Amino acid sequence: MNFPPATQFPPLILDDIKGAQKMLSGVSRVTAMEGSRHLSELVGAPVHFKCENLQRTGSFKLRGAYVRIAGLSQVERAAGVVAASAGNHAQGVALASALLGVGSTVFMPVGAPLPKVAATREYGARVRLHGHVVDETLAAAQEYARETGAVFIHPFDHPDIIAGQGTVGLEILEQCPEVRTIVVGIGGGGLAAGIAVAVKAVRPDVRIVGVQAAGAAAYPPSLAAGHPVSVGSLQTMADGIKVGRPGDVPFPLIRELVDEVRTVSEDELSSALLLCLERAKMVVEPAGASPVAALLSDPKSFRGPVVALLSGGNVDPLLMQRILTHGMSAAGRYLSLRLRLTDRPGALATMLAVLSVADANVLDVSHVRTDPRLGLTEAEVELHLETKGPEHCAEVAAALREAGYLVLN
C-alpha cells in the first residue's frame, strides 16, 4: 500500500496530540517517571527515566496504534487491519484492535522471538509468519492489504501514529515540568517526531536529542542530505530502532524540531541495558536503553534535568542472556584468558590458587593437553573469569604472569 506524500497530510499540531491524549484516556497507562541517582551523579544534574517499558504491551506502540485504528471509518474497520512487525508494533496493533473490536492480522518474520509471537496471538491477532527480514514481512503485509482491503497500519509513517506517540511528550511535561533535555531513541522516527511536536509547542527551550544505533543509523545521512536516505546493511542488537530509512511523515518534523541525533555503539547499548537492570531494576530492551547509552557515552554534554525515555521492555530471554554477557564484558566484568602451564599433577590446582588470591571468580575452565602446538610437557588452559572491572582484569593477568605463567591473550 502506497501512502500519500508527507506534504498531502495536514501538518501535525499540538491540538492533534491533545486529542490523542483524550482518546487514550483509560486505554494507555500514564507511565511512571523514576529518578536515576547513578546517572544524575554522572551528568551533574537530575536524570529521570520515563518508563514506557511498563506500558501495556511493554512499549509505547499501543498509543499510536490505538489512535490510528480508532480513527478508521466503520467501513474500514469492517475490513480489518494488517500490520508487519517483529515485536512491539505487532503487540500494539493486536491489543488496540481487540479493544476496538476490529479484526487484525499481523505478519511477523519467521525468526521472530517466540515470546513476542505468542503475546501477539494472545492479544487477539491472527499471526502469519513470513520472510526472514522485516522488509520481506512488510511486503507480504502490504500485498495482503491490497488483496483483502484490510487497512495497513504503518509503525511510524502516519500522522495518527505520530500523534499517539506524541502523548508521551505531554506526560513528560506534566511529570517533570522543569525538564531541559529529553533523550529518545529513533528508528523510523514516529516517537521522536511526536514528542518533538508536543514539547516544542509548549516549551521550545527544551532540547530534544535523538539516539540511533551506529549500525542502523539512517537519520544522520538523511539529515545531511535534506531528505530520507536508505542505508544498506543494518547491524545492531536494537531491533526496535533497526530501520533502514526514515519515514516520510516524521522526517521533516525531526529535521525541524529535534536538536541533535547521536549514535551509540553495541558496547554502549549492552552496558546501558546492564545498568538499567542492575541500578534501576528495569527490564529494558536494547532500543529502549539507547538514551541511557547516549548519557553514559558523554554525560557532561547534557543539560539537566534530563528525561531519558525507556521506550520498551520486550526482550527475548535468550537475547537478554547474550546481551548481559556482552554488557559485562564491555564493562570489564568478564575476562577470558588462554595460558600455558607445565603438564604435571597439581599444576591446574596451583594455577587456580593464584586466581583465588587475586579474587577472580572462575566461571569455566577448558584444559587441553593433546594439541599439536603444545610441547610434550605443556598444557593449555582457557579461562573464563568474573572480575570487578577493567583494573581488576589487569591485576588478575599480572598476578598470573608474576606466578610464571605464559598468558597468551
Side-chain angles (χ1 to χ4, degrees), residues 213-298:
Y219 265 90
S222 297
L223 291 169
H227 58 83
V229 172
S230 297
V231 295
S233 177
L234 304 177
Q235 300 293 330
T236 179
M237 68 178 78
D239 56 352
I241 53 174
K242 191 177 180 180
V243 178
R245 182 183 184 277
D248 291 322
V249 180
F251 177 78
L253 298 171
I254 288 176
R255 181 180 57 189
E256 178 185 354
L257 299 173
V258 172
D259 297 280
E260 179 186 1
V261 176
R262 302 187 181 192
T263 61
V264 292
S265 69
E266 298 300 285
D267 281 353
E268 288 165 341
L269 284 169
S270 56
S271 295
L273 189 146
L274 183 62
L275 181 143
C276 288
L277 188 62
E278 285 191 326
R279 297 297 185 97
K281 308 301 182 278
M282 289 284 178
V283 175
V284 183
E285 61 191 89
S290 59
V292 179
L295 288 168
L296 288 174
S297 67
D298 191 7

Side-chain angles (χ1 to χ4, degrees), residues 292-312:
V292 179
L295 288 168
L296 288 174
S297 67
D298 191 7
K300 296 302 182 184
S301 65
F302 293 89
R303 296 184 309 163
V306 178
V307 172
L309 179 59
L310 307 182
S311 59

